[in-house]
Amino acid sequence: MIYNNLIYLLVVILILTTNTVPDTPQTPLNIALFIFVLKGFLYHLAARRWFAGKSMASAAQYFSAEQKLAILAIASLAIDVYFLDFKYYIAKLPFTGQLPVLIDLGGIILFHCYLSLTWHASIKSYQRIFERSSGKSSIVISNLKTNLSIILPWLLISFFSDLLLLAPSPGLQKILASSWGESIIILGFFLVLATVFPAIVIRLWGCTPLPKSDLRDHLENFCKRQGLGYANIMLWPLFEGRIITAGIMGIVKKFRYLLVTPALLESMSIEETEAVLAHEIGHAKRYHLQLYIFLFLGFGLLAQISLYPILYLLLNSELFYKLLQLSGKEPATALSLWGSVPLFILMIVYFRYVFGFFMRNFERQADLHALAVMGGSAPLTRVLEKISVLSGNIRDVPSWHHFSIGQRVDFLEKCESNKIHIKRHHRKVYGALLIFLLTLTSGAFFMWKMPTTLMEGPTREKFAEAAIRQKIREEPQKSAWRHLLGDLQLERKHYGEAIAAYEKALELAPYNPEVLNNLAWLLITAEDESFLDPARALELAESASTIKSQGYILDSLAGAYWANGYTNLAVKTEEKAMARDPANREFYLRQIAKFQSGAWSPAALRKNDK
């Protein structure tokens, strides 16, 4: 259950962090609000329907319904973020500009509002299946605490990252501005947090120390014989303590805790409980807890490595720009949406197949440790068979993070009969870790060699055009967007599109001197001679100079005079421009020299293209 929640919350974080705050809402507020309320109501009905009646009779059925509703909650949040402008409205709240993590925190809270509808609807099924009379609020709070323990590290790291950028220290800001400065500082904070976090989690989960008793003394002596250092043995009230499981948390002795549920202690003998502890000790002895941290960091690096080629392909894909035009979304928002899809796939594949592979095989290593400690497979095999029966005959049901109980029992018996399988399994695990490390190292080198920016040359121009065209669709009567589009197309030498944009801008604002000036300049400097029109250029330049007689506009007028054969007027106008803009005297003198050297040449004007 906790592992599934981890995946759900990782998906939620990806949805929130890969989406930007739009400049303007994509959906009108009244429509967005109506869809939001309707969607929430339908979600509530779905939750009630799934948990209605008495057909739900087992924990497996309960968890299955909860998982389906969690996926529905993720889909609902995705609609809120990508289509209903949730982040736009949350960004209006105080302090979100200084601490962007508050926007994502709002998304986390909204996601848990959906989940709270699930937990509220599940109360009767929960009470019947787990034989408890817990109230609605206690069930909701208990689930919130469980999820908070998963999401809290990310929230703390995000807050820390935002606060770093607000720090007034020049020295710190210089470090943060370096290529790896921020990453190294945040990595250090993450490692400190990973060390002390188990002490926070046991409080969030409501764990209490195992009371003093003969059983506790026996378990403590067992751990001592195994050479395990730990802070405490805790009772774990997971789902009212009715789940038969155990766990170990903590990478250092001072913050390491052994967790056992009351149901496990009630259903197992002393020897069987020892076998469970031996399994958990195996995780510590094989450094699985540290390796899990390494695997999480590995996903972060792989995601960062993958993001660059994903965005590069999108930014250079004609399909992306066609979809952008059809959807009507802001380019940055669309880029976030479509760029996040491959990351979603990467995350599912990574945790299902890569992380899941290591988890399943780490569990086998822990089983093998219990086999060695207990002197045989029988104690742990009895534990596994009891769990399969008491949990609803799940012996042959595998999961993405565990082999099935039947597979684990068969493997233990095979290793007990032939020790060569033990060595082979350890070689398999450490060989896979070596391959993973080499992959990360190669990826880090590739990332180090990647260009610092995607937005260069044609890529920048195509994205800028998409952004401007979106603004034109949003504000078709605003001439400034047509002006910018004309300037961009002129820079790209798309003369026909530039002229069309400038003409439309002049329809909306006939007396804009900048548009008049730029269109005139195009008509006397275009490399494609079919677009040259000196007479029209002179008319436009004269109008621009009448409205705004600054140096660069008078220079365009002088060029237009020259293009029409009025050399003397061209020289006099350039001298007037020089008088208006003495700081660029050398430029204007070069222009005058051109005018006096011979007939008009568009190429000559382009040498000093503005």
Side-chain angles (χ1 to χ4, degrees):
M1 186 269 297
I2 292 177
Y3 293 123
N4 288 331
N5 286 1
L6 170 64
I7 298 298
Y8 301 147
L9 290 169
L10 285 173
V11 172
V12 168
I13 290 171
L14 194 59
I15 290 172
L16 294 170
T17 55
T18 56
N19 184 261
T20 58
V21 178
D23 295 331
T24 56
Q26 308 291 301
T27 307
L29 177 59
N30 57 341
I31 296 176
L33 189 59
F34 173 77
I35 296 173
F36 175 76
V37 173
L38 177 63
K39 183 165 53 61
F41 177 71
L42 293 175
Y43 182 93
H44 175 63
L45 290 181
R48 292 187 62 180
R49 182 177 180 82
W50 253 313
F51 287 106
K54 296 185 178 181
S55 59
M56 185 174 293
S58 68
Q61 290 176 314
Y62 178 91
F63 291 136
S64 176
E66 192 176 58
Q67 289 170 12
K68 291 174 183 175
L69 285 163
I71 294 171
L72 185 59
I74 292 172
S76 296
L77 179 69
I79 292 172
D80 295 331
V81 171
Y82 289 120
F83 301 102
L84 301 185
D85 307 303
F86 173 79
K87 295 186 77 170
Y88 173 82
Y89 295 109
I90 288 293
K92 299 298 182 182
L93 297 176
F95 307 113
T96 52
Q98 295 80 15
L99 296 170
V101 67
L102 293 176
I103 300 174
D104 296 331
L105 177 59
I108 296 293
I109 293 172
L110 176 59
F111 175 67
H112 283 88
C113 287
Y114 288 121
L115 293 184
S116 295
L117 293 176
T118 297
W119 299 324
H120 187 271
S122 72
I123 178 64
K124 292 182 179 178
S125 298
Y126 181 92
Q127 290 171 339
R128 183 175 63 255
I129 292 169
F130 296 103
E131 300 177 356
R132 286 294 183 272
S133 58
S134 303
K136 294 180 180 180
S137 61
S138 64
I139 291 175
V140 172
I141 292 171
S142 175
N143 279 286
L144 287 174
K145 286 183 177 179
T146 299
N147 278 9
L148 179 60
S149 66
I150 300 172
I151 204 74
L152 189 57
W154 173 77
L155 284 174
L156 291 174
I157 291 170
S158 298
F159 268 110
F160 179 73
S161 178
D162 286 352
L163 290 173
L164 277 178
L165 298 177
L166 296 175
S169 170
L172 178 59
Q173 294 304 320
K174 184 177 180 180
I175 294 173
L176 293 173
S178 63
S179 301
W180 294 92
E182 183 178 4
S183 299
I184 292 173
I185 292 175
I186 292 177
L187 176 62
F189 178 77
F190 171 80
L191 294 176
V192 171
L193 184 61
T195 301
V196 304
F197 196 66
I200 300 173
V201 171
I202 61 168
R203 288 165 175 78
L204 287 174
W205 288 353
C207 299
T208 56
L210 182 65
K212 282 289 184 181
S213 62
D214 291 341
L215 174 61
R216 178 174 179 115
D217 291 340
H218 189 91
L219 297 180
E220 286 179 341
N221 289 330
F222 180 80
C223 293
K224 186 176 181 179
R225 292 197 302 273
Q226 299 304 312
L228 178 72
Y230 60 94
N232 214 332
I233 302 175
M234 310 294 288
L235 283 175
W236 188 7
L238 181 63
F239 276 87
E240 309 290 347
R242 304 314 301 165
I243 302 296
I244 303 173
T245 189
I248 186 169
M249 292 190 303
I251 58 177
V252 298
K253 173 183 175 181
K254 186 176 181 180
F255 297 103
R256 180 180 293 142
Y257 298 89
L258 284 163
L259 308 178
V260 290
T261 61
L264 184 138
L265 296 179
E266 292 168 7
S267 57
M268 302 297 165
S269 67
I270 290 291
E271 185 182 37
E272 290 165 351
T273 304
E274 285 182 346
V276 172
L277 286 186
H279 172 93
E280 301 303 334
I281 291 170
H283 285 305
K285 294 292 186 180
R286 289 286 173 178
Y287 301 101
H288 292 160
L289 305 178
Q290 292 87 340
L291 288 171
Y292 283 140
I293 294 174
F294 171 65
L295 290 169
F296 266 104
L297 293 174
F299 171 71
L301 181 58
L302 287 175
Q304 189 69 27
I305 294 167
S306 303
L307 187 60
Y308 187 96
I310 289 170
L311 294 180
Y312 181 83
L313 290 173
L314 281 175
L315 289 169
N316 290 278
S317 167
E318 291 300 326
L319 177 61
F320 170 71
Y321 292 101
K322 289 179 181 177
L323 291 173
L324 185 60
Q325 187 173 3
L326 289 173
S327 68
K329 283 190 165 294
E330 290 186 0
T333 302
L335 187 64
S336 298
L337 173 61
W338 293 106
S340 63
V341 172
L343 288 181
F344 282 133
I345 296 172
L346 173 65
M347 187 182 72
I348 297 301
V349 170
Y350 180 86
F351 281 97
R352 173 62 181 83
Y353 296 103
V354 179
F355 198 84
F357 167 84
F358 284 111
M359 288 192 75
R360 292 192 300 274
N361 286 284
F362 286 171
E363 288 299 320
R364 277 191 169 172
Q365 283 192 312
D367 285 347
L368 291 174
H369 184 80
L371 170 68
V373 169
M374 302 305 295
S377 64
L380 186 58
T381 295
R382 291 199 303 272
V383 169
L384 295 172
E385 296 290 6
K386 275 188 179 182
I387 290 174
S388 72
V389 173
L390 295 173
S391 299
N393 296 315
I394 60 169
R395 190 178 194 278
D396 297 315
V397 180
S399 67
W400 66 272
H401 52 85
H402 276 77
F403 289 107
S404 71
I405 287 175
Q407 289 173 317
R408 291 172 69 181
V409 170
D410 291 344
F411 182 73
L412 280 169
E413 291 174 348
K414 183 173 70 172
C415 290
E416 186 176 22
S417 63
N418 188 346
K419 298 296 190 289
I420 190 66
H421 295 296
I422 298 175
K423 292 182 179 179
R424 286 178 179 173
H425 184 71
H426 291 323
R427 284 200 300 268
K428 171 186 172 181
V429 171
Y430 295 125
L433 283 170
L434 179 60
I435 293 171
F436 183 76
L437 178 61
L438 291 174
T439 302
L440 286 185
T441 304
S442 301
F445 179 78
F446 172 74
M447 187 174 167
W448 178 51
K449 289 293 186 180
M450 286 192 300
T452 56
T453 180
L454 285 167
M455 294 294 188
E456 291 182 345
T459 302
R460 178 188 64 82
E461 293 169 355
K462 289 174 71 173
F463 191 78
E465 180 184 356
I468 295 169
R469 290 192 183 278
Q470 174 59 26
K471 289 298 182 182
I472 290 173
R473 286 191 289 270
E474 291 174 1
E475 301 175 298
Q477 299 304 311
K478 191 171 182 178
S479 66
W481 303 126
R482 308 280 182 172
H483 178 188
L484 286 174
L485 181 61
D487 289 348
L488 176 64
Q489 301 295 34
L490 174 58
E491 181 183 344
R492 300 170 73 185
K493 300 178 183 178
H494 296 177
Y495 299 119
E497 295 178 31
I499 291 172
Y502 285 141
E503 297 285 13
K504 185 62 179 178
L506 289 174
E507 286 180 22
L508 297 170
Y511 305 110
N512 187 318
E514 305 295 338
V515 177
L516 292 166
N517 176 75
N518 292 358
L519 180 53
W521 188 256
L522 184 159
L523 296 175
I524 57 174
T525 60
E527 292 183 11
D528 185 340
E529 294 185 1
S530 65
F531 292 102
L532 296 174
D533 189 348
R536 176 86 195 286
L538 181 56
E539 178 185 339
L540 293 167
E542 286 178 334
S543 298
S545 64
T546 301
I547 300 167
K548 187 177 182 180
S549 58
Q550 291 193 357
Y552 66 95
I553 291 179
L554 291 172
D555 174 61
S556 297
L557 177 59
Y561 280 135
W562 189 37
N564 283 276
Y566 304 126
T567 304
N568 291 336
L569 278 176
V571 171
K572 288 180 180 180
T573 304
E574 202 70 32
E575 289 173 345
K576 187 177 178 180
M578 184 166 55
R580 295 288 177 88
D581 184 18
N584 291 305
R585 176 183 174 82
E586 294 300 321
F587 167 80
Y588 297 119
L589 288 175
R590 288 195 300 272
Q591 292 288 82
I592 291 171
K594 286 181 198 174
F595 301 156
Q596 294 174 335
S597 65
W600 161 61
S601 166
L605 281 175
R606 285 197 300 271
K607 289 181 180 178
N608 289 312
D609 210 346
K610 296 178 284 189

